[in-house]
Amino acid sequence: MISKPMRSTAVWAGLLCAVSLAACASPAHAVPAPWAATTASAETAGGAVSCTSAEGGRAGRLAADIADALRDRRSTVSVALDDAGTATTCGLAPQRQFDAASVAKPIVLGALLRARGGHLSAEEQELARKMIVSSDNDAASALWKELSTTGADGTVRPTGVEQFLKAAGMKGTAPGPGGAFGLTRVDAQDLVRLLRVFRGEGGVLTPEEGSYALGLMHEVRGDQRWGTPASAPEDAEVHVKNGWLQRSDKADEPADRGDWRINSMAAFTGAGHDYDLVVLTQNNRAPAGRSAREGYRYGIATVEAVAKAVHSGLSSAPVADAAPKQDPATPTAEAASRTATATGSRRTSDTTADRAVDAALVAAGLGAVVAGRRMLMRESRRAAADRPA
């Protein structure tokens, strides 16, 4: 089971304010805004790291720390972070596509659960466990085949996977050709969306089906728990899946021992933690004349450098913004854009009313309440799922 976040008395009080803002908050122009939503960016060789947070100073620190972690790395990197607990998101080329390798396997699992309505046969359960916990390629290929259909012209298509991707809104993901699940093209943004689907959001899977998927990721064997879990909080429950693949972009060299794709995705839950992190990399090459294994280790080190910066940035206390705050009663276009960025890129389960409430809270200087309100919404959904029909 997924541990439920702990809630403080202060969060509950903030949630009551969110439900009846007019009754318990002063007029917007009279409310100080120490927690106004901010967006910050920092440049890397592969593009800008952009972060938005409802907690003062956190966006700038995270963007700078992630960029610093990548400053001397040769890898091509994409990052996506989504933290409901602190209303924080970060991205570095989050829509850049990569070969999935084994991070395609949670997609296969999601497609299987949706196709079967959560009712897997004993054989399918065994294959799913092998595919996720041990990263067994034969098991993944067998399930991929189950989710495929053959057309009149003999063309084999993974229709079950395609249907799942469409339902999940994973528009940047393209299934691999034929039975090559590992050559599925993915982006970090879509994989974060997948993890939120596993949390029961968006109605793609039931909470029970999502918990089953995360439960298998929680049991991934020890020698495959590297990457995004590096330096994660000790009290967090970690649900991880990694992928690694030796492959060249050159058509005549499909297996280049000097080039590695190293990918890692994880959800962090329990003890108040509620965030997802995806780091995708390629061009992890060993120096000339050195063992190809060095490229593999180099890619892992790149992923873990990002992960350490993220876990540290989310665990530390927020600091005040250096920039002066705008009067919430007369927000500038830039401030409105920041608010939209902070509240508009939320979960697929959000309604228009949810987003409007979040925007009003942030504009009123109550950005910290957004995180608490979302925490309660998630708990309410999980509690409802736990009640017998």
Side-chain angles (χ1 to χ4, degrees), residues 262-277:
I262 302 293
N263 304 323
S264 184
M265 59 185 290
F268 302 90
T269 66
H273 305 292
D274 184 11
Y275 61 99
D276 305 306
L277 174 63

Side-chain angles (χ1 to χ4, degrees), residues 6-354:
M6 298 174 61
R7 298 180 293 268
S8 67
T9 301
V11 168
W12 278 98
L15 295 173
L16 292 175
C17 287
V19 174
S20 183
L21 187 61
C24 58
S26 303
H29 66 273
V31 178
W35 301 94
T38 57
T39 297
S41 63
E43 291 295 328
T44 73
V49 179
S50 179
C51 297
T52 298
S53 181
E55 293 196 352
R58 195 180 296 278
R61 180 170 55 198
L62 268 170
D65 288 351
I66 293 172
D68 188 59
L70 294 172
R71 196 166 310 283
D72 298 322
R73 310 305 296 178
R74 302 185 302 273
S75 312
T76 300
V77 182
S78 176
V79 178
L81 166 69
D82 192 357
D83 179 22
T86 63
T88 299
T89 62
C90 288
L92 167 60
Q95 295 179 310
R96 178 184 290 154
Q97 286 190 320
F98 292 75
D99 291 330
S102 287
V103 294
K105 292 171 181 174
I107 298 175
V108 176
L109 178 58
L112 180 68
L113 288 167
R114 182 172 174 81
R116 301 292 184 267
H119 302 294
L120 306 187
S121 68
E123 180 183 4
E124 288 171 336
Q125 289 182 50
E126 181 62 22
L127 288 171
R129 172 169 289 277
K130 288 181 178 179
M131 176 178 69
I132 300 298
V133 175
S134 302
S135 203
D136 187 286
N137 290 333
D138 290 339
S141 294
L143 292 174
W144 184 273
K145 184 177 180 179
E146 281 193 30
L147 293 163
S148 299
T149 57
T150 303
D153 60 353
T155 302
V156 177
R157 290 183 56 187
T159 51
V161 173
E162 292 171 347
Q163 290 166 1
F164 174 75
L165 293 173
K166 182 177 180 180
M170 297 172 64
K171 299 179 181 179
T173 300
F181 68 87
L183 297 186
T184 294
R185 297 289 284 177
V186 298
D187 63 43
Q189 178 175 279
D190 268 6
L191 292 179
V192 163
R193 185 173 286 110
L194 175 65
L195 291 172
R196 288 291 157 180
V197 165
F198 285 170
R199 293 173 183 266
E201 298 189 7
V204 182
L205 299 176
T206 66
E208 292 83 4
E209 292 163 358
S211 292
Y212 175 79
L214 286 178
L216 291 181
M217 293 174 69
H218 182 60
E219 296 178 29
V220 164
R221 69 189 204 189
D223 62 337
Q224 295 181 16
R225 299 184 70 82
W226 42 262
T228 46
S231 298
E234 292 184 0
D235 58 354
E237 289 191 14
V238 179
H239 315 266
V240 63
K241 189 70 194 81
N242 294 324
W244 54 100
L245 175 67
Q246 292 173 304
R247 187 167 187 258
S248 173
D249 286 327
K250 300 176 182 178
D252 58 343
E253 296 181 27
D256 180 349
R257 288 180 52 79
D259 195 2
W260 286 83
R261 276 87 160 114
I262 302 293
N263 304 323
S264 184
M265 59 185 290
F268 302 90
T269 66
H273 305 292
D274 184 11
Y275 61 99
D276 305 306
L277 174 63
V278 176
V279 184
L280 307 178
T281 76
Q282 60 188 21
N283 299 328
N284 298 292
R285 301 186 61 83
R290 306 287 284 273
S291 166
R293 197 70 178 173
E294 290 194 23
Y296 168 82
R297 289 193 290 266
Y298 187 89
I300 293 177
T302 298
V303 174
E304 294 189 344
V306 173
K308 291 173 183 178
V310 167
H311 295 309
S312 176
L314 293 179
S315 299
S316 57
V319 297
D321 291 318
K325 307 293 187 300
Q326 294 288 335
D327 181 352
T330 56
T332 63
E334 180 182 4
S337 175
R338 290 199 302 267
T339 299
T341 302
T343 61
S345 60
R346 308 312 305 164
R347 323 292 183 242
T348 57
S349 59
D350 288 350
T351 65
T352 301
D354 290 330

